[in-house]
């Protein structure tokens, strides 16, 4: 009987610990912000073949991550960058207005325990990160920079950002 009690106690501790860990992870919101992949020239251009390949590989950089929502600006190149990952996880793209980054940032800050992919531009992504972290820390990316990925994590209303290079 004592052995059964001890086993039950350890099972309770184990499952209670796992529950608490899951509860903690539900408190953290993760926002992955990428620039669209390499583009052709012209007005609202599509991706180049190299850009399409980069878009195809995007989800593999975050293996096992399934965004709750994917947001793109209303341009072909951002939608094409996000589409492979969205198809992989059977998720529709949601459009945001790059002229109203403050509205997007305010919305993202209210979300708890979710993961988002935002596909934007060299001149909007740093601004969005700055709005999320409440600092003027990041400057516009160089027009040839398709490598920089921002990852913002929000926990208890405090946002921190890091940069990945793909």
């Amino acid at each position: 009987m004592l052995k059964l009690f001890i086993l039950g106690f350890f099972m309770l501790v184990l499952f209670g610990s796992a529950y608490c860990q899951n509860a903690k992870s539900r408190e953290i919101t993760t926002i992955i912000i990428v620039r669209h992949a390499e583009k052709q020239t012209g007005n609202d251009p599509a991706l180049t073949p190299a850009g399409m390949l980069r878009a195809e590989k995007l989800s593999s950089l975050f293996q096992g991550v399934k965004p709750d929502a994917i947001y793109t600006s209303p341009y072909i190149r951002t939608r094409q960058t996000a589409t492979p990952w969205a198809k992989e996880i059977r998720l529709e793209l949601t459009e945001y207005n790059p002229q109203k980054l403050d509205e997007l940032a305010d919305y993202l800050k209210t979300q708890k325990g979710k993961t988002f992919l935002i596909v934007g531009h060299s001149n909007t992504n740093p601004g969005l990160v700055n709005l999320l972290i409440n600092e003027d820390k990041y400057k516009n990316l160089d027009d040839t920079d398709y490598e920089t990925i921002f990852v913002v994590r929000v926990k208890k209303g405090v946002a921190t950002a890091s940069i990945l290079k793909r």
Side-chain angles (χ1 to χ4, degrees), residues 19-85:
Y19 176 79
C20 289
Q21 187 64 21
N22 284 339
K24 287 180 184 176
S25 68
R26 286 191 299 261
E27 294 174 7
I28 300 171
T29 298
T30 302
I31 306 158
I32 302 165
I33 304 170
V34 302
R35 182 184 179 204
H36 60 77
E38 291 88 338
K39 62 181 177 166
Q40 298 177 25
T41 58
N43 187 26
D44 196 14
L47 296 180
T48 64
M52 291 299 289
L53 184 60
R54 187 183 294 275
E56 290 289 335
K57 293 180 178 181
L58 180 59
S59 69
S60 67
L61 295 173
F62 297 93
Q63 248 177 1
V65 174
K66 183 181 177 194
D68 295 291
I70 298 176
Y71 289 85
T72 70
S73 68
Y75 299 100
I76 293 169
R77 59 195 177 272
T78 56
R79 290 192 304 267
Q80 285 181 320
T81 300
T83 294
W85 197 349

Side-chain angles (χ1 to χ4, degrees), residues 3-135:
K3 287 181 185 178
L4 197 56
F5 175 77
I6 292 172
L7 178 63
F9 176 77
F10 281 116
M11 293 297 282
L12 180 64
V13 169
L14 178 66
F15 288 121
S17 171
Y19 176 79
C20 289
Q21 187 64 21
N22 284 339
K24 287 180 184 176
S25 68
R26 286 191 299 261
E27 294 174 7
I28 300 171
T29 298
T30 302
I31 306 158
I32 302 165
I33 304 170
V34 302
R35 182 184 179 204
H36 60 77
E38 291 88 338
K39 62 181 177 166
Q40 298 177 25
T41 58
N43 187 26
D44 196 14
L47 296 180
T48 64
M52 291 299 289
L53 184 60
R54 187 183 294 275
E56 290 289 335
K57 293 180 178 181
L58 180 59
S59 69
S60 67
L61 295 173
F62 297 93
Q63 248 177 1
V65 174
K66 183 181 177 194
D68 295 291
I70 298 176
Y71 289 85
T72 70
S73 68
Y75 299 100
I76 293 169
R77 59 195 177 272
T78 56
R79 290 192 304 267
Q80 285 181 320
T81 300
T83 294
W85 197 349
K87 281 185 178 179
E88 182 181 311
I89 60 174
R90 296 185 174 107
L91 196 60
E92 294 293 319
L93 301 178
T94 302
E95 193 173 286
Y96 73 91
N97 183 343
Q99 304 301 319
K100 297 182 178 182
L101 291 177
D102 54 336
E103 290 178 11
L104 179 59
D106 289 345
Y107 168 75
L108 293 170
K109 286 179 186 179
T110 66
Q111 303 306 296
K112 295 204 181 346
K114 295 188 178 184
T115 299
F116 297 95
L117 171 65
I118 313 295
V119 183
H121 305 271
S122 62
N123 63 341
T124 61
N125 290 357
L128 178 58
V129 174
N130 289 338
L131 288 167
L132 290 167
I133 65 171
N134 295 318
E135 285 183 53

